[in-house]
DNA sequence: AATGCCGGGTT
DNA sequence: AACCCGGCATT
């Protein structure tokens, strides 16, 4: 499966070298359009061979056996057949980003293809549903002591593939394009931090802080990270954080299957515009001197540059990507983020306030090509203020119900709140976008678990009104919930110790005697 | 300081 | 599983 996936994923759309059609020996480049199994008994062994349909520079389609073509710009890596060269990448432990770069960096056609690949889209929904759990698992695994042999290997694999993906999407941005290597290094570096040298101690809460540090910062706060060129990509930032933060879940740190899915989800999720926030319109602006042409599509701007400024007259396939240097993307705020926020906050303030987890969303939204950075998004929304006084406005009863509802579903609340607060103290609160609500709500709902406890014991001697207010309090301050999470809220009722006193310790319930939660006078 | 409990250790 | 206890959080 692994292999198959790799091939499928990496080869399609990859730029490869193929023998010159003219036979003059000079290899030409093309983009793999399709792969199929050749049944004919061509090879000596009679084994089936893969046949790659390659779109050549001149626009023609040609078929090659895998032995005939080589992938990547890196000639050394291109020695072997396509498939095997890819495999090497994945199994080779050396953090050598070059190979990945070679095969994945440049082909932006690949990116386009992927985003339109129907199979992946459907498949994605499956993957996505588990991705949260997986992510958690992944994080956990990185901080837990686990036999490294196998895991490391896969991790490296992931690093590379992911890095490649990132690079791929980045490659179309003129601003970052030049120092691609740097970007890749930064990326893999931060990952590694988490993976092997995780500063977090296993099993302790502190690891929570690490959640965000591994994905969010590296992916977003990195100033050199430009937003991806394609609008469809704009939601990518959301994903990463949601994954990192939420991931509650049982998870065998070393489960290869999960790992794989994880990897695939990471790769395939991105191009799917599903979650995309539609309030942003992406335009592409030509940066050529004295030419401020703005087009709505990347293809359009590329063609414009290619034909007008570069004087080339072939279609996109013969481009070497140079156009990318001459345009930049601009994000236009059609219906401002503020709108979305303001409309949201009144509805369920409590839900909004807690989700500092989406530190990611904000950055993503405001993150524009380095050059044009309208700080608008963050400024426009001060609903921020609402977040601080959420409860006061909404009907308590409503909240009550809502939370009761979800409390049971909650899994691991994860320390999203805390981590997020670190991450983007100022901006975090402003960051919730409607898009996100789904992902983070899950994570922060869990804390209310505590609350569940209170509800369950209506028999309590105390007035319901009291209880209710308490509950509300808990809800209104999600951050606290975190604490509640780790430790059961101290029951306010009398306990064996109080009732019987130390002198009658033998009358205590066993739990009390054992310094456990009292079983006799439960709250 | 007293309590209530969790996490962990020991038997 | 029963039993204990260190240590932390809350009161």
């Amino acid at each position: 499966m692994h292999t198959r996936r790799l091939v499928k994923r990496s080869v399609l759309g990859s730029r490869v070298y193929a023998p010159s059609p003219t036979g003059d020996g000079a290899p030409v480049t093309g983009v793999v359009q399709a792969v199929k199994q050749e049944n004919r008994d061509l090879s000596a062994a009679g084994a089936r061979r893969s046949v790659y349909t390659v779109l050549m520079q001149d626009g023609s389609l040609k078929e090659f056996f895998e032995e005939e073509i080589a992938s990547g710009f890196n000639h050394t890596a291109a020695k072997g057949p396509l498939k095997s060269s890819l495999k090497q990448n994945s199994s080779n432990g050396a953090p050598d980003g070059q190979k990945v770069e070679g095969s994945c960096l440049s082909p932006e056609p690949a990116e386009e293809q992927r985003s339109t690949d129907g199979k992946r889209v459907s498949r994605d929904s499956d993957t996505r549903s588990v991705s949260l759990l997986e992510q958690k698992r992944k994080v956990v695994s990185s901080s837990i002591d686990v036999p490294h042999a196998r895991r490391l290997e896969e991790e490296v694999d992931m690093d590379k593939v992911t890095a490649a993906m990132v690079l791929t999407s980045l490659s179309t941005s003129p601003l970052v394009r030049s120092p691609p290597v740097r970007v890749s290094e930064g990326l893999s570096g931060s990952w590694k931090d988490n993976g092997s040298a995780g500063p977090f101690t296993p099993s302790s809460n502190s690891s929570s802080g690490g959640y965000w540090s591994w994905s969010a910062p590296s992916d977003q706060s990195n100033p050199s990270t430009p937003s991806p060129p394609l609008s469809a990509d704009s939601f990518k930032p959301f994903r990463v954080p949601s994954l990192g933060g939420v991931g509650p879940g049982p998870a065998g740190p070393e489960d290869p299957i999960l790992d794989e899915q994880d990897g695939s989800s990471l790769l395939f999720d991105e191009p799917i515009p599903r979650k995309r926030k539609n309030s942003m319109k992406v335009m592409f602006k030509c940066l050529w001197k004295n030419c401020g042409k703005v087009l709505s599509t990347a293809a359009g701007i590329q063609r414009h540059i290619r034909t007008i400024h570069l004087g080339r007259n072939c279609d996109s396939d013969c481009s070497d990507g140079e156009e990318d240097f001459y345009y930049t993307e601009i994000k236009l705020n059609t219906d401002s983020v503020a709108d979305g926020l303001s409309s949201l906050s009144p509805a369920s303030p409590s839900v909004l306030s807690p989700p500092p987890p989406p530190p990611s969303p904000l950055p993503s939204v405001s993150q524009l090509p380095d050059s044009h950075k309208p700080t608008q998004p963050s400024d426009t929304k001060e609903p921020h203020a609402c977040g601080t006084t959420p409860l006061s406005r909404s009907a308590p009863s409503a909240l009550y119900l809502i939370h009761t509802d979800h409390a049971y579903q909650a899994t691991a609340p994860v320390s999203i709140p805390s981590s997020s607060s670190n991450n983007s103290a100022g901006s975090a609160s402003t960051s919730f976008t409607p898009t996100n609500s789904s992902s983070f709500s899950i994570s922060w709902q869990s804390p209310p678990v505590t609350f569940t406890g209170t509800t369950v014991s209506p028999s309590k001697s105390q007035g319901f009104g009291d209880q209710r207010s308490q509950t509300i309090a808990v809800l209104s301050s999600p951050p606290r919930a975190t604490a509640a999470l780790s430790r059961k809220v101290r029951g306010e009722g009398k306990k064996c110790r109080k009732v019987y006193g130390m002198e009658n310790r033998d009358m205590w319930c066993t739990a009390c005697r054992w310094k456990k939660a009292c079983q006799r006078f439960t709250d």
Side-chain angles (χ1 to χ4, degrees), chain A residues 185-229:
Chain A
E185 279 174 3
L187 235 165
S188 59
S190 65
W191 276 44
K192 238 187 222 146
D193 270 2
N194 275 311
S196 37
F200 322 109
T201 53
S203 84
S204 90
N205 304 337
S206 63
S207 62
S208 60
Y211 283 173
W212 295 102
S213 68
W214 73 263
S215 55
S218 64
D219 222 8
Q220 295 159 5
S221 46
N222 182 345
S224 67
T225 303
S227 53

Side-chain angles (χ1 to χ4, degrees), chain A residues 459 488 493-497 499-501 504-513 516-523:
Chain A
S459 59
K488 189 173 161 186
K494 292 197 192 300
K495 297 292 192 260
C496 291
R497 184 198 294 254
V499 173
Y500 303 111
N504 294 314
R505 195 177 169 178
D506 43 353
M507 294 175 74
W508 295 7
C509 67
T510 49
C512 279
R513 261 180 283 149
K516 294 293 185 190
C518 179
Q519 294 173 324
R520 188 170 299 169
F521 306 102
T522 56
D523 290 36

Side-chain angles (χ1 to χ4, degrees), chain A residues 245-415:
Chain A
V246 184
E254 333 116 88
D255 184 335
I257 292 174
L258 282 181
D259 249 347
E260 271 204 41
Q261 285 184 341
D262 198 345
S264 62
S265 77
L266 250 175
L267 289 168
F268 297 141
D269 275 359
E270 312 183 17
I272 289 82
R274 228 196 19 274
K275 273 190 176 179
R276 184 192 159 206
K277 186 171 171 22
N278 52 10
S279 59
M280 281 299 198
K281 176 153 195 183
V282 180
M283 301 292 278
F284 297 86
K285 180 180 182 180
C286 176
L287 295 175
W288 197 272
K289 246 191 241 170
N290 300 326
C291 174
K293 183 143 188 158
V294 176
L295 293 176
S296 59
T297 65
I301 197 71
Q302 281 178 12
R303 190 180 316 136
H304 158 83
I305 293 168
R306 198 161 46 236
T307 57
I308 307 294
H309 302 305
L310 298 179
R312 295 179 192 173
N313 226 347
C314 47
D315 54 5
S316 64
D317 294 307
C318 73
S319 92
D320 56 8
E322 192 181 345
E323 313 90 77
D324 298 342
F325 286 102
Y326 302 110
Y327 74 87
T328 186
E329 86 176 281
I330 309 173
K331 281 183 185 166
L332 301 181
N333 224 348
T334 45
D335 52 293
S336 76
V337 179
D339 286 349
L341 285 175
S342 59
S343 65
L344 253 180
S345 48
S348 57
S350 70
V351 174
L352 283 177
S353 62
S360 46
L362 173 60
S364 74
V365 172
S366 61
Q367 186 157 29
L368 300 181
D370 302 304
S371 49
H372 325 251
K373 223 182 226 165
T375 50
Q376 249 193 15
S378 50
D379 294 340
T380 354
K381 39 178 162 173
E382 16 48 317
H384 191 54
C386 308
T388 48
T389 60
L391 284 174
S392 52
R393 276 182 221 182
S394 60
S397 56
L399 279 175
Y400 192 75
L401 289 178
I402 291 172
H403 285 284
T404 335
D405 227 20
H406 297 291
Y408 293 99
Q409 306 173 348
T411 7
V414 191
S415 38

Side-chain angles (χ1 to χ4, degrees), chain A residues 468-488:
Chain A
R468 195 166 154 199
S469 60
Q470 275 185 353
T471 308
I472 292 168
V474 171
L475 290 177
S476 64
S477 57
R480 275 186 127 201
T482 308
L485 233 176
S486 61
R487 194 168 254 248
K488 189 173 161 186

Side-chain angles (χ1 to χ4, degrees), chain A residues 421-494:
Chain A
S421 62
N422 298 341
N423 223 351
S424 46
S427 53
S429 46
T430 58
S431 62
F432 337 111
T433 56
T435 332
N436 257 354
S437 58
S438 65
S439 59
F440 64 65
S441 64
I442 294 172
S443 57
W444 87 270
Q445 276 167 359
S446 39
V449 171
T450 314
F451 148 90
T452 309
T454 17
T455 351
V456 177
S457 62
S459 59
K460 265 221 109 178
S461 57
Q462 308 196 332
F464 178 73
D466 286 353
Q467 263 189 37
R468 195 166 154 199
S469 60
Q470 275 185 353
T471 308
I472 292 168
V474 171
L475 290 177
S476 64
S477 57
R480 275 186 127 201
T482 308
L485 233 176
S486 61
R487 194 168 254 248
K488 189 173 161 186
V489 169
R490 187 199 269 236
E492 59 246 37
K494 292 197 192 300

